[in-house]
Amino acid sequence: MRNLSNYFKTLAPKLEVGGCFTAHNVRNTDMEGTSEFIDYVKDLPDFKTTIDTSSSEGISISYKMAED
């Protein structure tokens, strides 16, 4: 997941307002970096992040609400 955080940080500025970033297996807290990634994206003021729990391991969906 550490790579996911880095990927998100690289991609986020390129997303247009209304775009979204998804990640799977985010409920698997045994994976290194999962909690840190979720904490990071949930604290971003320009994104709204939800966790879809209909998947057994969870899918995070981060919508870009505004520009930085």
Side-chain angles (χ1 to χ4, degrees), residues 4-67:
L4 181 57
S5 294
N6 291 338
Y7 185 70
F8 179 85
K9 289 176 185 179
T10 300
L11 182 65
K14 298 175 183 181
L15 280 175
E16 294 182 16
V17 172
C20 67
F21 181 92
T22 63
H24 62 88
N25 295 336
V26 296
R27 292 177 68 191
N28 185 350
T29 56
D30 293 335
M31 290 178 58
E32 183 180 349
T34 302
S35 296
E36 292 84 357
F37 170 73
I38 294 301
D39 290 344
Y40 177 76
V41 295
K42 282 195 165 193
D43 286 341
L44 292 173
D46 298 334
F47 283 82
K48 178 180 179 185
T49 299
T50 58
I51 307 295
D52 181 344
T53 58
S54 64
S55 164
S56 62
E57 293 297 328
I59 300 170
S60 70
I61 307 163
S62 300
Y63 293 95
K64 189 167 188 176
M65 306 298 286
E67 289 295 331

